[in-house]
Amino acid sequence: MDKMTNGAPEEHKPAAALVSKRGYDVTRYPHLNKGMAFSLEERLQLGIHGLLPPAILNQDVQVQRVLQNYQLQKDELDRYVLLMGLQDRNEKLFYRVLISDIERFMPTVYTPTVGLACQQYGLIYRRPRGLFITIHDRSHISTILQNWPEHDIQAIVVTDGERILGLGDLGCNGMGIPVGKLALYTACGGMPPQKCLPVMLDVGTDNEELLNDPLYIGLRHKRVRGAAYDELVDEFMKAVTERYGMRCLIQFEDFANTNAFRLLNKYRHRYLTFNDDIQGTASVAVAGLLAALHITKSRMSDHTILFQGAGEAAMGIAELIVMAMEMEGSPHDQCMKKIWMVDSKGLIIKGRDHLTVEKQRFAHQHAETRSLEEAVRALKPTALIGVAAIPGAFSESILKTMAELNERPIVFALSNPTSKAECTAEQCYTLTQGRGIFASGSPFDPVTLPDGRTFYPGQGNNAYVFPGVGLGATACAMKHISDEVFLLTAQTIAEQVTEKDLAEGRLYPPLTSIRDVSFKIAVKIVEYAYRHDLATVRPEPSDKPQFIRSLVYSTDYQDFTTDSYRWPEGSMKVQTCKL
């Protein structure tokens, strides 16, 4: 059981109150560093007087300096490098910058720019951020975890780099994904960054280009699979919980289909874990569909949904759609028949060879159909969802057919990054005469049609989901995370979409409100956890919103002249200082 202290678990106390640093170390420790914002008294007390220029610049001025430098960069990759460098130097300033305009900076620190950053990771790598655990570290993982300087980790994002976004096997270069995800845990959800840990499980790569790249930062051999791979992941899960406790959240990210489902099913009831590509994507997609129902004036079970793709994202979305239909009162078998999928071999139907167990669940009786366009004409879907990273898969003909079949066709081009999107927002709105209900995985600019109507495409970004889920699950130290949590999250997101948003084409709340959305998700999850006996923090907080607020990370600088900072032994605390 986690003990409560003044309304919050002890592990949620500010890091600055639990660590002691002095002198040059303070200016090189991103959790504590304030740059030129240290007051003269703080500089004297911390032993850094003379290590900084004499001017004292407050955080607002520092933000302006970062923004000016940001504007001077020539492209998005340079902007990414600039912001990651800031994160390495001054964490609170980094998050203050992100929060100052999350809509502007999210595409830089995450999709779509993070995809390019991962492709160039060997070139832009600067400083260690997170842990790199290799297949050769078996039987030593617990020792490696001891090397990480923070002792209280509550959230881990782990990848093996085999399926990075829609870019494929990027091996160790995929570390950019856990780093980016956890930055959003803090920026969008308020999780304290020092309690977050990115992890790369490097088992090799099958990407020949990387294996021949002298700048590649990972192991230079083919991927290790089979028993050795499973032993590595097993040891990792056990080592994490031995080091940080059973209530440390472990988020699986960008594993290939062959491992993603298997590992989720293996661990979901034994650890506090989820797979964002399966469950997070499902939640944000269903949130968009629930919002779309307000436009179509229909129920989920009224729709026939066709997927381009049958991987982990498609399966996760489909399962959650079925759950939403069942909540409306529809029988399970009837709900399953509303879901159809097209993969690289055509429509998934009964009797087709070499279907995985997951695909067999959504295989229905139908004539063989080779292409997506054929499937659209035959099945007459009301919603089309793309999650196969095939750019342009939603052709002009397909979009026009969807518009012919439906008064308000639902078109979700969810593949990331932008270069992998099934269609653009402009294509959807133009070819459906503005009747299409559109969402994408990466951001698109507003679209103005010839008749003067302007639409603001909804971005079905998982950032609406995992920060709030992470904050809620760790706040009450849940035992495990069920699929009901992700449906609850989808419903909470959809509830924040206003009639004005819908009229403008938005299926999600504005990104400017994402911290508030995450907060509401966290509160709902904590309430759910206590209601279903899944929470282990005791006693149960009477005021759950206030309990969550007490845990949210503040980007305000620590005041080192107060008693909240533990002074290093032998240092002299100066009470007053005059120039």
Side-chain angles (χ1 to χ4, degrees):
M1 294 287 182
D2 292 314
K3 294 181 179 179
M4 300 281 286
T5 307
N6 297 327
E10 179 65 30
E11 67 265 23
H12 292 296
K13 292 301 176 184
L18 302 176
V19 299
S20 299
K21 289 191 179 290
R22 178 172 168 75
Y24 193 72
D25 287 344
V26 173
T27 66
R28 291 297 182 269
Y29 190 60
H31 298 326
L32 300 180
N33 186 28
K34 296 163 60 171
M36 292 176 63
F38 287 106
S39 67
L40 179 57
E41 184 177 3
E42 287 175 321
R43 296 178 188 203
L44 291 168
Q45 289 175 345
L46 292 170
I48 60 174
H49 186 48
L51 300 181
L52 300 169
I56 296 173
L57 306 182
N58 65 35
Q59 198 175 41
D60 290 335
V61 174
Q62 290 178 314
V63 169
Q64 290 305 311
R65 182 166 62 182
V66 173
L67 294 180
Q68 289 188 36
N69 274 286
Y70 185 87
Q71 291 169 346
L72 291 174
Q73 305 308 305
K74 67 178 185 296
D75 56 36
E76 279 299 299
L77 186 60
D78 284 348
R79 295 184 186 102
Y80 175 89
V81 172
L82 172 74
L83 291 178
M84 292 302 104
L86 178 61
Q87 186 181 20
D88 286 335
R89 296 191 310 274
N90 185 333
E91 212 161 50
K92 285 186 177 289
L93 182 58
F94 169 73
Y95 287 109
R96 176 61 65 89
V97 169
L98 293 194
I99 292 168
S100 72
D101 193 346
I102 194 70
E103 195 166 13
R104 178 185 186 184
F105 294 114
M106 187 187 292
T108 302
V109 298
Y110 201 59
T111 57
T113 306
V114 74
L116 177 60
C118 287
Q119 290 173 305
Q120 302 289 329
Y121 214 68
L123 180 65
I124 65 175
Y125 178 78
R126 298 292 187 271
R127 293 178 60 183
R129 177 163 287 278
L131 283 177
F132 294 84
I133 298 171
T134 78
I135 191 69
H136 308 304
D137 293 321
R138 279 177 298 164
S139 29
H140 302 292
I141 295 179
S142 59
T143 303
I144 293 175
L145 290 177
Q146 294 289 335
N147 292 338
W148 188 249
E150 301 293 338
H151 303 294
D152 177 23
I153 297 299
Q154 294 181 350
I156 287 174
V157 175
V158 59
T159 186
D160 69 356
E162 189 170 5
R163 193 206 63 88
I164 298 298
L165 302 175
L167 301 171
D169 187 350
L170 296 185
C172 209
N173 285 3
M175 184 56 146
I177 297 296
V179 170
K181 285 275 184 180
L182 287 172
L184 297 186
Y185 260 77
T186 300
C188 301
M191 284 279 290
Q194 65 272 16
K195 297 181 185 295
C196 299
L197 174 59
V199 175
M200 163 58 65
L201 297 180
D202 187 359
V203 298
T205 178
D206 293 334
N207 188 323
E208 291 291 343
E209 186 177 343
L210 290 178
L211 291 174
N212 295 320
D213 182 356
L215 298 182
Y216 180 54
I217 64 174
L219 294 178
R220 294 180 184 276
H221 58 63
K222 295 288 187 178
R223 283 189 171 271
V224 174
R225 304 185 186 278
Y229 178 93
D230 288 349
E231 289 168 10
L232 177 77
V233 181
D234 267 342
E235 184 185 345
F236 168 72
M237 299 296 285
K238 292 173 184 174
V240 164
T241 50
E242 286 172 1
R243 169 76 165 147
Y244 303 120
M246 288 300 294
R247 304 309 168 221
C248 177
L249 174 64
I250 304 172
Q251 174 182 322
F252 282 79
E253 189 70 36
D254 286 353
F255 284 73
N257 293 346
T258 52
N259 290 318
F261 292 108
R262 189 171 59 84
L263 295 176
L264 176 61
N265 292 331
K266 183 177 183 179
Y267 297 124
R268 65 186 305 171
H269 298 301
R270 293 164 52 190
Y271 299 96
L272 182 61
T273 185
F274 72 97
N275 183 300
D276 189 52
D277 303 298
I278 299 173
Q279 296 162 291
T281 301
S283 187
V284 76
V286 170
L289 290 173
L290 290 173
L293 297 182
H294 292 290
I295 298 174
T296 60
K297 309 299 181 186
S298 59
R299 303 191 313 158
M300 188 77 81
S301 51
D302 295 330
H303 289 268
T304 299
I305 298 161
L306 177 61
F307 286 86
Q308 169 65 52
E312 54 201 273
M315 295 298 170
I317 297 169
E319 294 286 359
L320 208 61
I321 289 173
V322 168
M323 186 180 293
M325 289 180 175
E326 289 178 320
M327 286 191 66
E328 294 175 342
S330 296
H332 179 78
D333 289 346
Q334 184 178 319
C335 298
M336 295 293 287
K337 291 176 182 177
K338 294 281 189 174
I339 310 292
W340 296 81
M341 295 184 183
V342 172
D343 63 8
S344 60
K345 296 181 177 61
L347 187 65
I348 293 176
I349 57 175
K350 284 189 180 296
R352 216 186 78 181
D353 292 337
H354 308 301
L355 290 178
T356 63
V357 173
E358 291 79 20
K359 289 182 180 181
Q360 286 175 8
R361 286 174 47 74
F362 294 97
H364 309 306
Q365 204 70 48
H366 197 276
E368 184 178 2
T369 305
R370 287 291 183 182
S371 70
L372 177 64
E373 185 170 351
E374 286 181 56
V376 169
R377 294 188 181 281
L379 299 172
K380 298 179 174 52
T382 56
L384 192 58
I385 299 178
V387 283
I390 301 175
F394 296 169
S395 64
E396 178 178 343
S397 176
I398 287 174
L399 291 172
K400 285 184 175 179
T401 301
M402 287 293 293
E404 291 169 4
L405 295 171
N406 304 283
E407 177 61 30
R408 299 304 303 269
I410 298 172
V411 178
F412 284 9
L414 299 182
S415 292
N416 285 316
T418 311
S419 61
K420 299 292 184 178
E422 288 76 14
C423 70
T424 66
E426 184 176 11
Q427 288 168 337
C428 177
Y429 290 128
T430 301
L431 295 171
T432 63
Q433 297 84 46
R435 292 186 284 114
I437 301 173
F438 179 81
S440 59
S442 289
F444 281 102
D445 292 331
V447 176
T448 301
L449 297 182
D451 61 11
R453 288 180 296 164
T454 298
F455 296 96
Y456 299 84
Q459 185 189 352
N461 196 309
N462 290 24
Y464 281 108
V465 175
F466 62 80
V469 170
L471 180 62
T474 57
C476 62
M478 288 181 74
K479 297 173 185 175
H480 59 83
I481 303 175
S482 65
D483 284 335
E484 285 81 4
V485 166
F486 292 97
L487 183 55
L488 176 64
T489 297
Q491 293 166 337
T492 305
I493 296 168
E495 288 168 1
Q496 310 310 308
V497 182
T498 66
E499 290 297 328
K500 180 176 181 294
D501 292 331
L502 295 173
E504 294 176 344
R506 304 182 197 269
L507 296 181
Y508 298 94
L511 280 174
T512 52
S513 67
I514 196 167
R515 284 174 65 84
D516 185 53
V517 172
S518 296
F519 173 78
K520 290 176 179 175
I521 290 170
V523 172
K524 292 278 190 181
I525 288 173
V526 169
E527 291 172 345
Y528 172 89
Y530 281 105
R531 194 163 59 246
H532 292 83
D533 194 29
L534 292 171
T536 61
V537 169
R538 291 290 185 268
E540 177 179 347
S542 56
D543 186 341
K544 294 177 180 62
Q546 182 54 39
F547 171 63
I548 297 293
R549 286 190 193 95
S550 72
L551 309 178
V552 171
Y553 175 73
S554 171
T555 60
D556 294 336
Y557 282 142
Q558 173 86 11
D559 182 358
F560 295 103
T561 62
T562 69
D563 289 333
S564 66
Y565 181 74
R566 181 190 298 168
W567 293 95
E569 186 177 350
S571 65
M572 178 179 67
K573 184 174 180 184
V574 181
Q575 297 299 328
T576 59
C577 184
K578 297 181 179 179
L579 288 174

